[in-house]
Amino acid sequence: SANTYETKTPERVKGPAVVGDVIHDVVIYANPASPPYSLIYLYKSLQMQYSCRTAIHIHSSVKSVPDKLMNCLGNGVRIERPKAQIALTLIWKDVTHGPQLRVSPSSQTPINGESNIARYLARLLQPSYEEDLHLACLADHWLDLASFSLIGGNSKERAAAVRSLNAHLGKKSWLVGDEASFVDAVVYSALSQTGQRSGATGNVQNWLKACESQDRFEQITLFAD
Amino acid sequence: MDVSLSVNKSSPPIAALLAVEYLSGDLKVTVDYGKNTSLKLSDELTFTTPVAICRYLARLAPSSGLYGSNILEATEVDHWLEFSVNRLGKPAEFTVALSELDHILGPRTYLVAHSLTIADFCVWAALRVNAAAWSGRDESTANVRRWYNFLEAQSIFKKVSGLLPKRAEKQETTK
């Protein structure tokens, strides 16, 4: 069940991205008006491989944030900082152009967009989502559909994107491969944020329900209501 | 590995053609000029956008560095691919996006790290198709113009520019 992620002491897995005791600091700014729900899914995936600590703050540009958003990342995991491999900080802020990721502020440009943040976190996972070329391209196809068509597109492009989802989900249970992945979570999130989750029909609706029955979606559904 | 890319002759995927040229030593890509842009990966997936084609070609040749050299650089590349579509590709966003780009290019030679990536290809292409909207501007786009012209002077950019239909002229025969 989902509880196993919360209660067991995470094993330390040495991956190529986060090695040993080096703390990997990940800071994400997100607007509470359009929460990046896929973050929860990816955080749970990271927790299975790394010892993680989380912190959630509110920036002064935001007046108040509902409790469910303040509690969304495992209700704040209280691992002492020196014991954490990944320190994930979520700051609710009035950002535009989607959520923003900062890992190494002195050398990088800020990274915008939920799909891109998801790519980064999925690259921290072992194996990385890019391990297999074909699966990586499939994943990016849906991640681009979420960011370009569902979030960034006009109503025509959104409708076309939903039709394309519906056609794929008529043949397959999940967007990439044979099981649920972070890609499902990103597209789920894009549909939620653009108000298309409740009105979904057909294969898309069945897929949304299937997503919601997954452990790693458990908190997303609470968060998204 | 042989790759076959079909290209829409009247609206060519500039960034994808730049990647093809850049990787010509690593990959054998056959380019056919026709009605639609597409690159078929499998029965399940055919790429139709320059962004998707660029990602694929860059992944086929990881040692080229076109997708950055670590996971953070790769994600910075992804950021710029999205920026080229969702910001520079939208008339309502273009001016604000251009000024953000100018600010970020201030201390930089390339968009990501210290060498060419598909981020440079996609953003350069988005600026090229919108040249009328920004090239006449003054100091506020000085960094963008410096970067744009620096790339334009490189051989692969010259070569791809030569393949493109001339604006406001009759289409050239490209093949």
Side-chain angles (χ1 to χ4, degrees):
Chain A
S1 80
N3 280 337
T4 55
Y5 308 130
E6 319 286 328
T7 52
K8 80 171 185 188
T9 306
E11 285 175 5
R12 293 192 172 204
V13 177
K14 287 194 177 188
V18 181
V19 178
D21 292 332
V22 177
I23 299 171
H24 193 71
D25 253 309
V26 177
V27 180
I28 293 167
Y29 296 88
N31 196 319
S34 45
Y37 303 112
S38 66
L39 195 55
I40 295 175
Y41 185 98
L42 279 154
Y43 171 65
K44 288 183 176 181
S45 305
L46 286 169
Q47 266 195 311
M48 294 168 81
Q49 301 189 356
Y50 298 108
S51 56
C52 304
R53 87 193 288 276
T54 60
I56 301 183
H57 302 293
I58 306 180
H59 185 262
S60 58
S61 61
V62 170
K63 278 197 183 124
S64 71
V65 173
D67 285 348
K68 64 185 177 188
L69 297 189
M70 292 307 290
N71 297 331
C72 64
L73 295 178
N75 224 342
V77 174
R78 313 276 174 224
I79 293 174
E80 294 297 315
R81 198 176 161 83
K83 289 182 182 162
Q85 290 171 295
I86 294 178
L88 181 61
T89 306
L90 173 62
I91 299 169
W92 294 111
K93 186 182 176 184
D94 185 19
V95 285
T96 44
H97 311 301
Q100 190 174 89
L101 169 76
R102 290 172 192 244
V103 177
S104 173
S106 59
S107 66
Q108 68 159 121
T109 52
I111 287 158
N112 284 103
E114 184 170 353
S115 287
N116 296 328
I117 293 173
R119 285 181 172 103
Y120 182 77
L121 298 177
R123 284 175 176 133
L124 288 172
L125 293 170
Q126 181 91 286
S128 157
Y129 91 96
E130 289 178 299
E131 193 96 333
D132 177 276
L133 175 70
H134 187 250
L135 293 179
C137 290
L138 269 178
D140 281 322
H141 171 76
W142 296 116
L143 297 174
D144 281 349
L145 177 128
S147 58
F148 298 164
S149 307
L150 292 175
I151 305 248
N154 57 31
S155 55
K156 240 182 178 175
E157 289 160 335
R158 280 181 188 174
V162 172
R163 280 197 304 275
S164 149
L165 273 174
N166 196 59
H168 173 88
L169 293 167
K171 291 173 283 182
K172 307 260 180 177
S173 303
W174 304 105
L175 295 179
V176 179
D178 301 326
E179 48 190 56
S181 71
F182 78 98
V183 178
D184 297 282
V186 171
V187 174
Y188 181 100
S189 181
L191 287 171
S192 294
Q193 285 172 52
T194 53
Q196 298 180 91
R197 191 163 62 103
S198 54
T201 55
N203 303 326
V204 175
Q205 189 185 36
N206 292 338
W207 165 78
L208 287 168
K209 282 184 186 148
C211 286
E212 286 161 9
S213 71
Q214 297 281 310
D215 284 349
R216 273 180 272 186
F217 275 80
E218 193 179 278
Q219 261 194 316
I220 300 183
T221 54
L222 295 173
F223 180 40
D225 277 341
Chain B
M1 173 159 192
D2 288 3
V3 180
S4 176
L5 170 67
S6 301
V7 162
N8 176 333
K9 203 156 95 176
S10 50
S11 170
I14 299 172
L17 293 174
L18 287 166
V20 168
E21 280 304 322
Y22 188 85
L23 296 171
S24 59
D26 305 86
L27 300 175
K28 188 169 180 290
V29 182
T30 313
V31 182
D32 290 307
Y33 290 82
K35 278 190 180 163
N36 297 306
T37 291
S38 71
L39 192 163
K40 187 175 176 182
L41 176 66
S42 67
D43 289 340
E44 207 178 349
L45 188 58
T46 296
F47 305 118
T48 56
T49 66
V51 162
I53 294 166
C54 281
R55 280 190 217 284
Y56 174 64
L57 295 176
R59 281 186 177 133
L60 281 181
S63 60
S64 68
L66 280 187
Y67 215 137
S69 59
N70 59 47
I71 65 165
L72 182 56
E73 288 178 11
T75 315
E76 287 184 78
V77 168
D78 291 322
H79 165 83
W80 290 114
L81 300 188
E82 181 169 331
F83 186 90
S84 75
V85 175
N86 271 4
R87 308 288 312 283
L88 293 174
K90 299 244 181 342
E93 290 276 338
F94 187 82
T95 307
V96 175
L98 190 67
S99 100
E100 283 178 31
L101 178 64
D102 196 74
H103 176 72
I104 281 172
L105 281 171
R108 288 168 192 272
T109 306
Y110 297 102
L111 281 172
V112 178
H114 304 291
S115 60
L116 272 177
T117 61
I118 50 175
D120 296 297
F121 296 166
C122 289
V123 171
W124 189 86
L127 291 178
R128 191 185 189 281
V129 298
N130 275 303
W134 65 276
S135 55
R137 286 177 203 220
D138 50 337
E139 279 309 293
S140 64
T141 54
N143 296 316
V144 171
R145 274 180 294 140
R146 167 182 54 76
W147 169 84
Y148 184 89
N149 293 334
F150 165 70
L151 294 185
E152 191 167 41
Q154 300 191 16
S155 61
I156 60 160
F157 289 82
K158 279 186 189 160
K159 185 160 181 195
V160 168
S161 292
L163 296 171
L164 302 176
K166 295 279 177 287
R167 282 182 292 273
E169 284 177 21
K170 273 199 167 177
Q171 264 177 38
E172 284 185 330
T173 309
T174 42
K175 196 180 178 184

